[in-house]
Amino acid sequence: METVSAALAHDIGHELATVSFLVAAIRDDPALHPDNHRRLGLIEREVERLQELVGLRSDGVEDPEVSLPGLVTEIADTFALRGPAAVVTDPSPDVRLPVDARALWRLLSNIMHNAVRAAGPRGTVRLLVRPGPPVVVEVHDDGPGFGAGPSGHRGLGLEICRTLATGCGASVTFGRAAGGGTVARIRFRVSALTRGA
C-alpha cells in the first residue's frame, strides 16, 4: 500500500509537472489578486509534497526541527480553501520538534480529511497546539461524533494515522469532544527544541 511502482511514479510525475507549469503561468500574471497569489502558493506546496511522497523530489537536507504552529497553519489554510467546513486555528507559541515533517504532514492531513468530512458544510474544525509538556496537537470537529459520521475508509485511515504517529515519536487518540463531535489528540514523546514568543 505504501509503495508506488516506478511506472506509476513516472506518470504521476508528468501530471504533477504539468500542474506546476500551469500554476507558474498563473502566478506570474501581474493582475493576480494577493489572495489568489496566496492560494497558488498553497497549491505549489501541495504539489511539492506529492512529488516528495512518490519519490520525485528531494529538497536535500531537511530542517531538523518542525514548527508545529507553522505546519498547522499551512494545513488549516489548505483545508479552509477546500471546504466544506470552516477551519480555524488558535494562536500558539512557536513550538519546534525534531520530527519527520513529511510524516507529520501526512498524519495531520489524514485527520483533517476525516474532521472536515464529519463537520460538514455547516460545521467547524479547530486546530490548536498545546506547548505542554507533553506537546499536543488537537483537531476538534463539531460533527456527530467518532464513528457516527459519513462513512469512509475509517479502518485503514486509523491504522495509517497510528503508523505515522509512531514515526513522529507520538501517539494519536480519538475521543468525544466536550461540546460534541470528535477530538483527535497527537501527543509527542519527543521534547520541544525551542519555544519562541
Side-chain angles (χ1 to χ4, degrees):
M1 240 2 238
E2 285 291 302
T3 59
V4 176
S5 73
L8 182 56
H10 178 267
D11 291 346
I12 291 171
H14 278 298
E15 299 307 316
L16 291 174
T18 300
V19 173
S20 293
F21 290 135
L22 291 171
V23 167
I26 297 168
R27 186 189 58 229
D28 295 337
D29 182 349
L32 189 67
H33 190 278
D35 286 346
N36 291 330
H37 198 276
R38 183 179 64 84
R39 292 181 179 107
L40 285 174
L42 291 171
I43 293 170
E44 285 180 311
R45 188 63 189 125
E46 290 294 306
V47 169
E48 288 170 7
R49 289 188 193 279
L50 289 171
Q51 290 172 325
E52 290 168 6
L53 283 177
V54 295
L56 297 173
R57 180 187 178 100
S58 175
D59 291 330
V61 179
E62 290 188 10
D63 193 333
E65 55 186 66
V66 175
S67 168
L68 290 186
L71 185 60
V72 162
T73 298
E74 182 181 324
I75 289 171
D77 286 349
T78 301
F79 276 89
L81 290 173
R82 291 165 64 171
V87 179
V88 297
T89 58
D90 285 4
S92 167
D94 188 16
V95 179
R96 295 178 175 266
L97 292 177
V99 297
D100 181 334
R102 187 180 310 148
L104 183 54
W105 170 75
R106 289 182 62 200
L107 173 58
L108 282 169
S109 293
N110 271 280
I111 291 171
M112 283 295 294
H113 277 290
N114 291 333
V116 167
R117 189 174 67 245
R122 290 187 286 277
T124 301
V125 176
R126 184 173 146 241
L127 294 92
L128 63 139
V129 177
R130 298 191 187 278
V135 176
V136 177
V137 175
E138 294 185 358
V139 179
H140 296 250
D141 71 63
D142 56 6
F146 187 68
S151 62
H153 305 288
R154 189 175 296 119
L156 180 60
L158 289 176
E159 189 55 39
I160 289 171
C161 285
R162 289 189 182 107
T163 300
L164 291 169
T166 299
C168 293
S171 62
V172 61
T173 58
F174 299 88
R176 187 95 177 141
T182 301
V183 58
R185 290 185 177 90
I186 305 168
R187 289 183 174 85
F188 293 90
R189 293 183 292 274
V190 292
S191 298
L193 292 175
T194 59
R195 287 196 193 129

